[in-house]
Amino acid sequence: MPMRKVMKGNEAAAWAAKLAKPKVVAAFPITPSTLVPEKISEFVADGEMDAEFIKVESEHSAISACVGASAAGVRAFTATASQGLALMHEVLFIAAGMRLPIVMAIGNRSLSAPINIWNDWQDTISERDTGWMQFYAENNQEALDLILIAFKVAEDERVLLPAMVGFDAFILTHTVEPVEIPDQEVVDEFLGEYVPKHAYFDPAKPITQGALGFPAHYMEARFTVWEAMENARQVIAEAFDEFEKKFGRRYHMIEEYKTDDAEIILLTMGSLAGTLKEFIDKKREEGLKIGAAKMTVYRPFPIEEFRALAKKAKVLAILEKDISFGIGGAVFADAGRALVNEKEKPILLDFIIGLGGRDVTFENLEDVVEISKKALDGEKVEEVNWIGLRKEIL
Amino acid sequence: MAENPFKADIEKVQKEYSEKMTTGAIVYIPGSSVVNKTGGWRVFMPKFDKDKCIRCFICYTLCPEPAIYLDEESYPVFDYDYCKGCGICANECPTKAIEMVRETK
């Protein structure tokens, strides 16, 4: 029987790692790394988890150790956040290019300066082009489930790409919620054992990994990463189906909430989706045709699902906790890319919200709706809207 | 002129590599460092003057690649597929039989 426990997001991620049975967990024990490795080190010390726990001297080393472990042919896991993820940046490309199915839990946090340890998505958004798949969890249960799904997809032979699972710092990492911990046997059935076919360490069959790729080969090697990411769409859909069969919980690339007759749809990722659903209920009572959507998978970008969503709305407002300086929201830019050649498209609005752990209140969301209504009425609105900005101190 | 003794092997493996990209660009055939041509980024190349050569083998011994072979008469032969143009041979040659010249096409 699945066990129900009240736990923090950090612990949920650690439980997911325990259930996935990685052979190597490498982590740098400091705040940005979140408390996930701390809990895992407990599991290992108590003999509940049969993994090599490597304490390293930086996140750069943590991911490097994972690359080494994965290249040797075992399941590898790590967790980090914020500046720690930024320090891994260089190695993230290597993990993807070598097609190593490493899974990493990220307590989504802002980046310095100023120093800030609270929630936004700037850390993972900044790594969107590394070739890692990206999942975003709405709650602690999703943090656990998506890590299991991430392993399943990453290790599929059609994909073989690393994956990061983001769950909002503090909002999820440090608050408690009831979480269902699946049975080990069912997880074992779902994931199976990782049997490496392309990357392994075998003295009897020496191979070279991470070799030099001359101009004659580099482009083809990168194309295989692109191809794998395209394959991931199908594999993720299959994994969601199988997850539902085994565990009873359903996931979607883009989850829609009251969108069928909606004129205005608010799209977001992560924990903000929970707030949005409540807000939508309230606005529905007031008679507004409004809906919400949550993007669970950001890389690969769910282009078809997004186009289907966009067809339903007259105004599609994208709320995101990140900023790409000089253009606007990163998710917005991707959304625009997905719609650019569509004949019929909604008005797309770009909202920057909740950076650095600033609370997203219903008042903020009212502002979003006001601007969306204006756009719906044909009024001209700002191209990039910073919501909840304290203009009086600027 | 003496040829690289591994030439046949090199051509065989190079053919295999150019035909199929592996997952993760992994090299499954050992000894690929021998088959990948590494002379492509050279700026200076050694120019050899046979008349000055005393066949002391110092260039042959010190070439870090090694991209210098000896012909039947024990004169050095430079393999420009692998010579990176480091200039050690020219620097160490006691009779200045090797000169580094700028590479031109």
Side-chain angles (χ1 to χ4, degrees):
Chain A
M1 273 294 287
M3 181 169 47
R4 236 174 130 73
K5 273 182 83 162
V6 172
M7 62 171 80
K8 295 174 187 167
N10 278 327
E11 286 176 67
W15 268 96
K18 179 175 183 274
L19 291 164
K21 295 183 178 170
K23 284 277 179 289
V24 171
V25 177
F28 176 57
I30 197 178
T31 309
S33 166
T34 78
L35 298 171
V36 181
E38 187 179 311
K39 186 72 190 168
I40 291 174
S41 70
E42 272 177 41
F43 285 141
V44 174
D46 294 347
E48 290 175 40
M49 199 172 157
D50 180 24
E52 198 67 45
F53 188 89
I54 312 176
K55 287 184 289 275
V56 289
E57 84 287 358
S58 80
E59 277 86 355
H60 189 278
S61 304
I63 190 66
S64 298
C66 286
V67 164
S70 193
V74 298
R75 201 170 270 166
F77 178 85
T78 186
T80 189
S82 186
Q83 258 20 68
L85 181 60
L87 186 56
M88 291 179 176
H89 178 70
E90 174 200 354
V91 187
L92 298 181
F93 286 94
I94 295 170
M98 287 170 71
R99 309 283 297 280
L100 303 174
I102 302 161
V103 172
M104 173 153 60
I106 316 278
N108 276 120
R109 290 183 183 191
S110 62
L111 284 173
S112 302
I115 297 171
N116 176 297
I117 58 168
W118 290 273
N119 163 239
D120 64 35
W121 316 323
Q122 194 66 58
D123 50 1
T124 45
I125 286 287
S126 302
E127 307 302 346
R128 72 185 170 184
D129 301 334
T130 52
W132 283 59
M133 291 179 286
Q134 291 200 358
F135 299 83
Y136 289 80
E138 180 186 328
N139 50 45
N140 293 352
Q141 183 70 60
E142 288 197 13
L144 188 150
D145 292 351
L146 288 174
I147 287 170
L148 298 178
I149 290 168
F151 271 114
K152 175 89 178 168
V153 178
E155 290 170 5
D156 192 289
E157 273 186 48
R158 292 164 287 174
V159 180
L160 286 170
L161 284 179
M164 46 180 85
V165 177
F167 48 114
D168 290 344
F170 292 101
I171 298 170
L172 299 180
T173 59
H174 288 66
T175 52
V176 295
E177 284 178 338
V179 173
E180 190 175 297
I181 300 165
D183 286 331
Q184 184 67 62
E185 304 81 69
V186 189
V187 175
D188 290 347
E189 250 175 58
F190 178 66
L191 284 184
E193 203 183 329
Y194 175 52
V195 184
K197 289 218 169 66
H198 81 298
Y200 49 78
F201 174 68
D202 181 355
K205 281 191 282 177
I207 62 173
T208 307
Q209 298 189 48
L212 183 68
F214 280 95
H217 291 97
Y218 182 82
M219 220 166 139
E220 284 72 18
R222 298 309 281 176
F223 183 79
T224 63
V225 177
W226 161 266
E227 231 177 6
M229 195 61 102
E230 291 300 306
N231 293 346
R233 299 176 196 283
Q234 173 66 24
V235 178
I236 291 169
E238 289 171 19
F240 284 167
D241 286 345
E242 201 184 331
F243 191 87
E244 187 185 18
K245 272 190 210 125
K246 289 227 157 54
F247 304 96
R249 287 183 291 279
R250 177 73 210 175
Y251 289 93
H252 303 270
M253 300 281 266
I254 294 181
E255 189 186 308
E256 299 182 18
Y257 186 72
K258 301 191 177 175
T259 53
D260 284 341
D261 64 335
E263 290 183 324
I264 297 169
I265 295 177
L266 312 183
L267 172 86
T268 193
M269 307 197 293
S271 66
L272 184 53
T275 316
L276 276 190
K277 284 174 197 163
E278 242 189 277
F279 178 72
I280 297 300
D281 288 344
K282 178 172 168 274
K283 297 306 281 180
R284 281 273 169 183
E285 278 169 25
E286 294 169 16
L288 191 67
K289 284 185 176 175
I290 189 168
K294 173 184 75 180
M295 206 181 287
T296 307
V297 185
Y298 176 57
R299 278 292 181 274
F301 192 82
I303 293 178
E304 288 309 320
E305 291 81 356
F306 181 76
R307 283 178 184 156
L309 176 78
K311 277 201 177 77
K312 294 182 178 173
K314 286 184 179 153
V315 171
L316 184 52
I318 295 167
L319 280 68
E320 53 188 311
K321 298 183 181 180
D322 62 78
I323 175 77
S324 179
F325 298 108
I327 180 73
V331 182
F332 180 86
D334 290 359
R337 157 73 183 82
L339 293 184
V340 68
N341 285 332
E342 294 293 284
K343 281 205 177 67
E344 282 174 38
K345 51 193 158 204
I347 299 166
L348 273 188
L349 296 178
D350 191 357
F351 294 97
I352 309 299
I353 198 162
L355 297 189
R358 179 158 303 178
D359 282 339
V360 177
T361 64
F362 273 21
E363 286 76 40
N364 296 150
L365 298 176
E366 291 287 355
D367 291 346
V368 171
V369 169
E370 279 315 305
I371 295 168
S372 302
K373 271 185 181 165
K374 273 187 196 166
L376 189 62
D377 293 341
E379 270 185 62
K380 202 172 154 45
V381 298
E382 289 281 331
E383 292 206 1
V384 181
N385 299 278
W386 289 66
I387 297 298
L389 194 68
R390 295 174 57 205
K391 290 200 175 116
E392 67 277 12
I393 64 167
L394 288 172
Chain B
M1 188 172 137
E3 279 202 337
N4 182 338
F6 299 105
K7 198 175 176 214
D9 292 342
I10 288 170
E11 279 171 1
K12 180 172 163 277
V13 178
Q14 268 170 348
K15 190 166 179 294
E16 280 175 45
Y17 275 122
S18 57
E19 277 172 5
K20 186 74 193 154
M21 171 56 61
T22 57
T23 305
I26 290 171
V27 181
Y28 290 97
I29 307 160
S32 64
S33 60
V34 179
V35 306
N36 284 315
K37 292 183 181 180
T38 48
W41 53 51
R42 189 172 54 228
V43 179
F44 288 94
M45 63 188 288
K47 197 179 140 204
F48 175 57
D49 183 351
K50 199 172 177 179
D51 295 341
K52 287 189 191 164
C53 179
I54 55 169
R55 289 178 273 184
C56 66
F57 307 158
I58 286 179
C59 60
Y60 169 83
T61 314
L62 294 181
C63 177
E65 276 310 294
I68 300 173
Y69 306 100
L70 297 177
D71 67 8
E72 292 86 18
E73 298 169 63
S74 297
Y75 282 110
V77 177
F78 298 82
D79 190 337
Y80 292 110
D81 281 348
Y82 298 95
C83 167
K84 286 176 177 167
C86 70
I88 289 174
C89 54
N91 206 43
E92 297 296 336
C93 179
T95 61
K96 303 289 171 217
I98 304 168
E99 186 196 352
M100 296 305 287
V101 295
R102 186 170 281 276
E103 176 120 20
T104 48
K105 284 219 167 158

